[in-house]
Amino acid sequence: MKLVQHAAEDQLSMVPPPKVDSHVVPFVSAFLPWLYLAHHADAKFIDRVLALLAKSDGRDKACKIVQYFCKLAMAVHEPKYKPLVGVLAKQLSGTRRVLRIGKCLKVVGNTVDAWGEPVAWKRAAGLLGAGVSCAGDFGDDVCWASDMQLLPVWVSDCEVWIDRLWLVSIVCDVPLHMADLLAARQALLACDADTDETEVRRRRAKFFNLAVGQVKLIADFFHASRKAMNWPTRSPVQDAVCGLVSASCAFVKLWGATAK
């Protein structure tokens, strides 16, 4: 019996282990947490996810998070991760540009809101920001058309000016948003024991959303400054980190809106 057992063990030891594609393992590992969440998610959670992805802005931010995760991986170790996620990041970038087509039309509502602002400096900053943002969004659509060979190729050479317009629009938005954030903080601090609990929750939620929005604007500022002027660094890590923070903040705000 021992001879038979040893012979069987010798035969098993000669069988080569199964080959596992090293390109597949990272993706399987990345999707396991999402599969776990999907398994334990309830119907309400799924409805919120579907409601978020039903909006073009929600799809844009979901794509942006994945895109900048890929960019961060490539910035950390490009030779290793670019063959794995380089094409995915490029495809997601193109997808997001398609999702943003026509975003310049928001200038109508933004202009009306800014014009109705009673404070002079807020009205001026709002009108300037709305106009500059519209010009940048329209330019982004034009550059996309150039990339699709619908317009001359030289149009894409002006893309740096779109980044500069984006930077100017952020500079206009930051003080406006900061003023709203400070006002929301004062309103929250003004709550006392007699304040209705529902009103307290509403003020707390408003302050939280504005705080997240301000973090997003700061991340956008450093993202735009790198793309427009290579400031304060030329590192692609700055692009990846700022883009990821911005997308995450926007996603958090959109996720909170689906609970209403």
Side-chain angles (χ1 to χ4, degrees):
M1 290 294 295
K2 289 185 177 181
L3 292 175
V4 174
Q5 182 179 359
H6 290 320
E9 291 176 353
D10 292 340
Q11 290 180 357
L12 288 175
S13 63
M14 296 174 62
V15 177
K19 293 183 179 180
V20 179
D21 190 352
S22 59
H23 294 79
V24 175
V25 173
F27 290 101
V28 174
S29 302
F31 277 107
L32 283 177
W34 298 104
L35 292 175
Y36 177 82
L37 289 175
H39 176 70
H40 291 275
D42 55 8
K44 185 177 180 181
F45 177 83
I46 298 298
D47 289 341
R48 291 182 68 182
V49 172
L50 294 176
L52 180 64
L53 296 179
K55 303 176 181 179
S56 60
D57 202 19
R59 294 192 297 272
D60 174 48
K61 296 305 179 289
C63 290
K64 186 176 181 180
I65 289 175
V66 179
Q67 175 193 356
Y68 280 92
F69 259 123
C70 296
K71 285 193 171 187
L72 182 59
M74 290 188 292
V76 172
H77 199 308
E78 184 173 359
K80 179 179 180 180
Y81 292 108
K82 187 173 183 178
L84 295 175
V85 297
V87 175
L88 176 60
K90 186 176 181 180
Q91 291 295 329
L92 288 173
S93 177
T95 300
R96 292 185 55 236
R97 295 188 81 170
V98 173
L99 291 173
R100 295 197 304 268
I101 290 177
K103 189 179 177 181
C104 58
L105 298 178
K106 288 185 176 182
V107 66
V108 178
N110 294 339
T111 302
V112 172
D113 293 340
W115 188 259
E117 176 59 51
V119 182
W121 75 267
K122 290 185 177 181
R123 182 168 59 251
L127 290 173
L128 177 61
V132 172
S133 179
C134 175
D137 291 335
F138 179 75
D140 190 51
D141 293 346
V142 172
C143 286
W144 171 83
S146 175
D147 292 341
M148 295 295 102
Q149 299 182 354
L150 301 176
L151 292 175
V153 179
W154 60 264
V155 174
S156 296
D157 297 336
C158 302
E159 196 162 357
V160 65
W161 290 100
I162 298 173
D163 297 327
R164 291 170 181 171
L165 290 172
W166 182 32
L167 180 61
V168 173
S169 68
I170 294 171
V171 171
C172 294
D173 288 341
V174 167
L176 292 172
H177 209 277
M178 179 59 74
D180 293 339
L181 179 61
L182 294 176
R185 182 176 181 274
Q186 290 180 351
L188 181 60
L189 293 176
C191 295
D192 52 25
D194 297 330
T195 307
D196 183 66
E197 184 63 26
T198 303
E199 179 65 17
V200 174
R201 287 198 298 268
R202 187 190 68 81
R203 294 184 185 184
R204 187 180 294 117
K206 182 178 180 180
F207 176 75
F208 174 78
N209 285 333
L210 288 171
V212 172
Q214 190 69 7
V215 174
K216 176 187 179 301
L217 279 175
I218 298 300
D220 284 338
F221 173 81
F222 285 104
H223 192 184
S225 67
R226 212 296 302 168
K227 296 183 71 175
M229 301 182 299
N230 284 320
W231 184 87
T233 71
R234 295 175 177 267
S235 173
V237 177
Q238 181 178 337
D239 272 349
V241 172
C242 292
L244 188 56
V245 171
S246 173
S248 300
C249 290
F251 197 86
V252 167
K253 292 183 67 176
L254 290 172
W255 180 257
T258 60
K260 298 178 181 180

